[in-house]
């Protein structure tokens, strides 16, 4: 029985079309190059460069006190890897100038009498200057410095704190930023490739006029679309595989969760991506329009996906919009599976939403495609 | 000169016939400005926290209240049927605090009370902020406990002053950066598509046959997109002022000079890629891989350049967006003036000339063969 169905399928028009499209795709060297090279490069750049931590902030120090206590304080601030002291700066005017020319990221001024105040009054003040142009660094540098300074106590006078906190970082104990960004941007890179490549495949036939020839044959519209999609689907799945390999081998990202859940989610998302590309192809008339319009889809969806900016910190309006971006759900799945070891029992709502996105997109595409043909 | 203008006129006729593309050339930069300007938020707010209070005493409740009073931590969702770590895996919370049953007993006996904190490290930035916030709350609570005891602690009080952007307005940081990214992306994209289209459609052969010199062809073609880019610059800078309140705080001569150079640079980059690419799709992919991603990630737009590790940090030197961003941030935020940024327009000019030469050589070689 099942053999008969397979035989029947292998004889069908659809199978013939699929074979034709697969051959055509594999012959298209440019397309293969596009599918493999840019996503790999993009992932490598992103994983290798994006690091929101704070390292090597140049701290200028003006020490008017030059006492044991002030040297002690400086040592306790610069002992970590975050701040490194440049040579002592003469006075606070010179310090101000150096911050203005962005040669220093932050400054610390220890007034004279620091040592005396600290031991007589048990309280002393220091001044901290932070360059606020780079808000991101400024905020972290400020809170780091404040924490270091207010936790400081003269080395021989340490007082045990009544409450001790044992802080444990889970899921990413080494706080490696690539573990966050590589799985995060994986979906974004995939969207970019999906939309550009799949829209170009269809528009090419449109621009060359070969689509009309296909329509003269007795195949149905959905068969044409499906035959085009199937080889693309497998190539894009290979892209996902490649990206995961880069994550695992180059960046040591762990893969803690269920592989089947990940594969199902990726397959669903590739279908969403192809759907988006096909939508561009049915809406736009020329390749140039489609290529430009792709940025209408790509920039917002990468922005809203939580790949770069976490969903929780987005403004409320953006969160509302993000709920309509399929990429957001895929990104959640990838991160949860890889880093947190989540499986289908936690992630089924995301998968369901991806299925809904596919149904909506593909219905739209098929209706538009049919209308354009008639 | 006349040949250049004729070439420019032809290019313009071709471009403005495609109304949709013209519309997109202006709508896209604006949309990107809105998207990035409103969307990129760096301050970690609303970090979700769950507290597993095994002590259920006055002291432990006070401790938990202290955490929620920080304005940064909000209540996460947790049904209490699974372990705190599982709740975090499900995305219910980013931080979990576990207060052991002997918490208040230890405190009242004057012994050290231990608290366990679990922080979700997957988002490094949030993890950093969360750790320092809960450590701060812990210090605060400890001081509350200590204040009942004789004061034995020493305190250094930092007085923090933030310069140039005292209220830490994120717009002031993000929007001048967005100018640099948008004015790189779209002019280079349009130029790349325009150049590769001639190849795609085979019309480039007619260009070779027409006797137009490579330099004239390049300048003529580029001129239109430089003009389009300048209009885009005007549009986004006006909207940056109206919507985000980002306006020049010193005389804007540096931006006025650097913007045309920067846009020329972007257009040259686009033409260079477009002539090398074999099709429009390749040109666009190349422009976004080699142009957009570096401009977004290697320019110091969000994350400081000093964080980029060594071999890749070399690449950041050849990302023009980095130098233009220094100019816009100076004019719109810092206000140090020419003395701090005089070399940036020169570097941009250098890149433009190099790209022009590369495009010209490529064009000449294509014409020869």
């Amino acid at each position: 029985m099942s053999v008969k169905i397979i035989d029947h399928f292998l004889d069908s028009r659809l199978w013939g079309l699929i074979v034709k499209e697969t051959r055509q795709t594999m012959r298209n060297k440019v397309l293969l190059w596009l599918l493999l090279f840019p996503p790999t490069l993009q992932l490598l750049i992103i994983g290798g460069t994006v690091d929101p931590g704070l390292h090597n902030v140049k701290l200028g120090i003006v020490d008017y006190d030059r006492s044991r206590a002030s040297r002690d304080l400086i040592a306790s601030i610069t002992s970590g890897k975050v701040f490194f002291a440049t040579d002592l700066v003469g006075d606070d005017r010179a310090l101000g100038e150096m911050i203005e020319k962005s040669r220093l990221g932050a400054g610390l001024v220890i007034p004279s009498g620091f040592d005396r105040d600290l031991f007589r009054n048990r309280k002393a003040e220091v001044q901290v200057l932070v360059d606020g142009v780079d808000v991101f660094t400024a905020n972290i540098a400020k809170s780091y410095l404040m924490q270091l300074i207010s936790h400081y106590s003269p080395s021989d006078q340490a007082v045990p704190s009544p409450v001790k906190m044992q802080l444990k970082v889970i899921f990413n104990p080494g706080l490696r930023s690539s573990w966050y960004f590589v799985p995060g941007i994986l979906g974004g890179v995939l969207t970019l490739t999906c939309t550009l490549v799949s829209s170009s495949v269809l528009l090419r036939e449109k621009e060359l006029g070969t689509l009309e020839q296909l329509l003269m044959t007795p195949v149905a519209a959905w068969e044409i679309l499906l035959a085009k999609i199937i080889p693309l689907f497998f190539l894009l799945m290979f892209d996902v595989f490649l990206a995961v390999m880069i994550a695992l081998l180059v960046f040591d990202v762990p893969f803690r969760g269920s592989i089947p859940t990940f594969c199902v989610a990726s397959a669903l998302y590739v279908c969403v991506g192809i759907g988006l590309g096909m939508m561009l192809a049915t809406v736009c008339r020329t390749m140039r329009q489609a290529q430009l319009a792709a940025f209408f889809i790509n920039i917002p969806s990468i922005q809203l996906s939580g790949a770069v900016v976490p969903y929780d910190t987005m403004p409320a309006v953006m969160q509302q919009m993000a709920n309509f971006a399929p990429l957001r759900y895929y990104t959640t799945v990838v991160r949860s599976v890889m880093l947190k070891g989540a499986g289908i029992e936690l992630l089924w709502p995301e998968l369901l939403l991806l299925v809904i996105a596919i149904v909506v997109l593909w219905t739209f595409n098929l209706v538009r495609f049919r209308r354009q043909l008639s | 000169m006349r040949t250049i203008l004729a070439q420019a006129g032809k290019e313009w006729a071709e471009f403005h016939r495609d109304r949709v593309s013209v519309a997109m050339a202006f709508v896209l930069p604006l949309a990107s400005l809105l998207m990035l300007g409103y969307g990129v938020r760096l301050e970690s707010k609303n970090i979700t926290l769950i507290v597993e209070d095994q002590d259920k005493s006055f002291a432990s409740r006070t401790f938990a209240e202290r955490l929620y009073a920080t304005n940064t931590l909000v209540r996460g969702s947790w049904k209490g049927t699974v372990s705190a770590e599982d709740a975090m895996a499900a995305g219910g919370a980013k931080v979990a605090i576990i207060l052991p049953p002997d918490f208040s007993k230890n405190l009242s006996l004057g012994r050290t009370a231990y608290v366990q904190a679990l922080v979700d490290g997957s988002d490094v930035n949030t993890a950093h902020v969360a750790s320092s916030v809960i450590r701060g709350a812990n210090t605060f609570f400890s001081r509350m406990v200590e204040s009942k005891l004789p004061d034995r602690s020493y305190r250094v009080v930092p007085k923090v002053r933030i310069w140039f952007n005292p209220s830490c307005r994120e717009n002031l940081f993000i929007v001048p950066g967005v100018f640099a990214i948008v004015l790189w992306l779209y002019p280079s994209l349009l130029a790349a598509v325009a150049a590769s289209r001639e190849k795609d459609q085979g019309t480039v052969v007619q260009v070779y046959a027409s006797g137009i010199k490579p330099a004239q062809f390049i300048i003529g073609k580029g001129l239109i997109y430089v003009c389009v880019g300048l209009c885009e610059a005007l549009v986004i800078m006006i909207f940056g002022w109206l919507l985000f309140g980002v306006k020049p705080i010193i005389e804007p001569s540096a931006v006025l000079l650097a913007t045309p150079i920067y846009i020329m640079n972007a257009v040259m980059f686009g033409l260079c890629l477009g002539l090398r690419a074999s099709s429009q799709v390749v040109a666009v992919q190349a422009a976004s891989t080699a142009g957009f991603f570096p401009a977004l990630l290697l320019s110091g737009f969000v994350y400081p350049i000093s964080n980029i590790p060594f071999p890749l940090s070399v690449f950041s030197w050849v990302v023009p967006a980095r130098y233009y961003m220094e100019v816009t941030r100076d004019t719109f935020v810092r206000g140090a003036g020419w003395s701090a940024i005089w070399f940036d327009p020169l570097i941009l000019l250098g890149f433009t000339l190099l790209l022009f030469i590369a495009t010209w050589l490529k064009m000449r070689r294509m014409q020869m063969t």
Side-chain angles (χ1 to χ4, degrees):
Chain A
M1 178 66 197
S2 60
V3 177
K4 228 178 216 172
I5 293 177
I6 293 173
D7 270 351
H8 185 71
F9 178 69
L10 288 178
D11 281 339
S12 71
R13 282 193 306 256
L14 182 59
W15 178 248
L17 266 180
I18 292 173
V19 171
K20 172 215 157 232
E21 290 291 346
T22 313
R23 280 210 191 115
Q24 209 171 350
T25 312
M26 296 311 283
R27 253 205 318 263
N28 190 343
K29 290 272 150 47
V30 176
L31 193 74
L32 291 180
W33 185 85
L34 276 177
L35 279 168
L36 299 181
F37 189 64
T40 315
L41 199 65
Q42 285 160 4
L43 266 185
L44 287 175
I45 297 180
I46 293 160
T49 58
V50 181
D51 182 358
L54 197 62
H55 318 281
N56 309 332
V57 176
K58 284 186 201 140
L59 180 72
I61 298 171
V62 184
D63 184 358
Y64 285 123
D65 196 38
R66 291 179 190 279
S67 59
R68 199 176 63 105
S70 73
R71 279 193 297 272
D72 214 21
L73 176 71
I74 293 169
S76 79
I77 290 173
T78 50
S79 62
K81 277 184 183 156
V82 176
F83 297 101
F84 71 93
T86 52
D87 295 331
L88 290 185
V89 183
D91 56 11
D92 36 351
R93 267 208 27 215
L95 184 73
E97 254 169 46
M98 286 174 79
I99 292 181
E100 187 162 284
K101 292 206 169 140
S102 45
R103 264 192 240 130
L104 293 174
L108 172 72
V109 182
I110 304 175
S112 59
F114 171 78
D115 179 76
R116 193 191 57 220
D117 286 348
L118 188 65
F119 286 97
R120 204 176 288 165
N121 309 334
R122 297 181 177 277
K123 194 173 169 182
E125 281 181 0
V126 293
Q127 206 182 24
V128 171
L129 298 172
V130 179
D131 179 355
V133 174
D134 181 345
V135 180
F136 181 77
T137 317
N139 272 331
I140 313 184
K142 186 185 84 178
S143 61
Y144 256 130
L145 269 175
M146 285 182 55
Q147 205 186 317
L148 284 169
I149 293 172
S150 42
H151 278 224
Y152 161 80
S153 62
S155 43
D156 48 343
Q157 309 271 339
V159 184
S161 167
V163 183
K164 233 186 207 131
M165 184 165 280
Q166 297 162 311
L167 197 93
K168 191 174 144 206
V169 177
I170 54 176
F171 305 133
N172 182 6
L175 286 176
R176 295 173 62 169
S177 51
S178 55
W179 285 22
Y180 181 67
F181 286 105
V182 171
I185 205 71
L186 194 148
V189 167
L190 198 62
T191 317
L192 202 69
T193 313
C194 273
T195 49
L196 289 179
V197 171
S198 55
S199 66
S200 81
V201 166
L202 198 62
L203 276 174
R204 215 183 149 71
E205 300 243 12
K206 253 192 190 176
E207 280 192 350
L208 291 175
T210 43
L211 200 61
E212 270 81 20
Q213 294 171 12
L214 265 180
L215 291 172
M216 307 291 258
T217 59
V219 286
W222 67 269
E223 284 178 315
I224 299 179
L225 276 184
L226 197 65
K228 287 211 167 299
I229 284 164
I230 284 172
L232 271 185
F233 173 82
F234 284 106
L235 284 169
L236 286 163
M237 282 305 281
F238 181 71
D239 254 5
V240 175
F241 172 76
L242 204 67
V244 171
M245 281 300 128
I246 290 176
L248 298 184
L249 300 177
V250 181
F251 298 107
D252 303 320
V253 181
F255 197 105
R256 300 191 174 120
S258 102
I259 294 176
T261 311
F262 181 83
C263 292
V264 170
S266 300
L268 289 176
Y269 191 70
V270 166
C271 292
V272 172
I274 294 175
L276 285 172
M278 292 287 169
M279 188 177 85
L280 286 178
T282 54
V283 172
C284 297
R285 238 174 268 126
T286 64
M287 206 93 106
R288 167 152 75 179
Q289 289 175 5
Q291 299 289 325
L292 286 175
F295 280 85
F296 258 129
I297 295 181
N298 287 321
I299 292 183
S301 46
I302 291 176
Q303 187 65 47
L304 294 170
S305 68
V308 188
V309 182
Y311 178 76
D312 295 330
T313 59
M314 284 180 210
V317 189
M318 289 285 171
Q319 286 184 342
Q320 290 296 327
M321 286 164 69
N323 292 337
F324 290 97
L327 182 55
R328 191 200 138 206
Y329 302 106
Y330 181 60
T331 303
T332 310
V333 172
V334 175
R335 275 199 184 128
S336 309
V337 169
M338 291 185 81
L339 297 179
K340 301 183 183 172
I344 193 103
E345 69 287 350
L346 289 175
L347 296 169
W348 63 267
E350 274 81 9
L351 297 185
L352 191 68
L353 284 162
L354 286 179
V355 173
I356 294 174
I358 294 175
V359 172
V360 171
L361 276 170
W362 287 43
T363 318
F364 174 86
N365 288 346
L366 208 59
V367 170
R368 267 209 72 112
F369 192 58
R370 272 216 194 107
R371 197 178 310 149
Q372 281 180 345
L373 298 184
S374 55
Chain B
M1 189 66 208
R2 200 179 293 156
T3 333
I4 293 175
L5 284 181
Q7 171 66 29
K10 176 198 150 253
E11 189 64 35
W12 171 243
E14 235 173 68
F15 178 64
H16 95 134
R17 235 189 344 236
D18 187 355
R19 286 289 152 85
V20 183
S21 293
V22 175
M24 279 200 261
F26 288 95
V27 177
L28 275 172
L30 205 54
S32 311
L33 175 71
L34 294 178
M35 214 61 217
L36 295 169
Y38 283 118
V40 178
R41 282 289 167 272
L42 308 162
E43 242 181 302
S44 299
K45 279 181 217 144
N46 307 329
I47 301 173
T48 43
L49 163 80
I50 53 179
V51 177
E52 186 177 347
D53 186 354
Q54 297 170 345
D55 191 34
K56 294 200 167 56
S57 65
F58 177 71
S60 67
R61 273 194 297 274
T62 319
F63 189 88
E65 269 161 32
R66 215 33 263 157
L67 291 167
Y68 290 119
T70 51
N71 287 328
T72 316
L73 300 165
V74 295
R75 257 165 241 277
S77 62
W78 182 37
K79 293 184 194 79
T81 48
V82 289
S83 74
E85 201 166 328
D86 282 348
M88 286 170 77
K94 295 267 183 280
V95 186
I97 300 280
I98 299 158
L99 297 161
D102 54 0
F103 180 73
S104 57
K105 200 173 117 203
N106 278 337
L107 272 184
S108 58
L109 290 175
R111 287 199 296 243
T112 309
Y114 288 94
V115 176
Q116 209 192 4
L118 296 175
V119 177
D120 180 345
S122 51
D123 174 1
V124 179
N125 181 29
T126 307
H128 277 305
V129 175
S131 318
S132 79
V133 166
I134 55 178
R135 280 215 189 91
N138 186 34
T139 314
F140 191 93
F141 183 82
S142 299
R143 293 248 160 93
M144 273 165 59
V145 176
E146 268 172 3
S147 65
K148 293 172 192 154
L149 310 167
D151 190 6
R152 287 173 298 159
S153 64
Y154 293 88
R155 243 166 259 175
V156 179
V157 183
K159 296 247 153 169
V160 180
R161 261 175 65 201
I162 296 195
W163 277 17
F164 310 121
N165 185 7
S167 47
C168 269
R169 279 175 55 207
E170 288 180 323
N171 286 345
L172 284 182
F173 174 53
I174 295 295
V175 174
V178 176
F179 290 165
I181 287 173
V182 167
L183 293 181
W184 181 263
L185 176 62
Y186 295 107
S188 68
L189 210 58
L190 287 173
V193 171
S196 58
R197 223 159 76 110
E198 297 254 5
K199 269 178 81 176
D200 241 12
Q201 302 181 338
T203 44
V204 80
V205 185
Q206 294 164 19
V207 176
Y208 302 151
S210 69
I212 185 173
K213 290 204 180 74
Q216 290 170 328
F217 175 76
I218 297 165
I219 296 174
K221 223 171 176 43
L223 200 59
I224 289 305
Y225 296 104
V226 172
C227 292
V228 172
L230 285 173
C231 295
E232 288 176 341
L234 195 66
V235 170
I236 61 167
M237 284 187 186
I238 288 172
F239 275 89
W241 188 337
L242 295 178
L243 297 175
F244 299 100
V246 174
K247 55 179 192 290
I249 58 164
I250 52 169
E251 47 82 31
S253 60
V255 162
L256 289 180
L257 182 77
T259 306
I261 300 178
Y262 182 62
I263 291 173
M264 279 196 280
N265 195 341
V267 168
M268 274 306 149
F269 176 74
L271 288 178
C272 189
L273 285 182
L275 283 177
R276 274 157 206 276
S278 50
S279 77
Q280 286 178 61
V281 195
V282 176
V284 170
Q285 268 284 35
S288 60
T289 306
F292 175 58
F293 275 96
L296 193 68
L297 299 167
L298 296 175
S299 63
F301 169 53
V302 177
Y303 303 119
I305 297 177
S306 58
N307 278 0
I308 302 168
F310 165 65
L312 280 163
S313 63
V314 178
F315 287 112
S316 77
W317 296 340
V318 291
V319 175
R322 167 185 182 170
Y323 303 100
Y324 183 64
M325 220 174 270
E326 278 176 16
V327 176
T328 50
R329 286 201 172 133
D330 189 76
T331 303
F332 292 104
V333 193
R334 198 190 301 264
W338 276 106
S339 68
I341 50 154
W342 58 271
F343 48 87
D344 289 316
L346 289 180
I347 295 174
L348 290 175
L349 198 61
F351 282 135
T352 312
L353 288 177
L354 276 180
L355 282 169
F356 176 74
I357 293 167
T359 319
W360 180 72
L361 284 177
K362 172 75 187 163
M363 189 69 199
R364 210 179 52 162
R365 205 167 336 121
M366 279 162 58
Q367 213 163 9
M368 300 284 207
T369 48

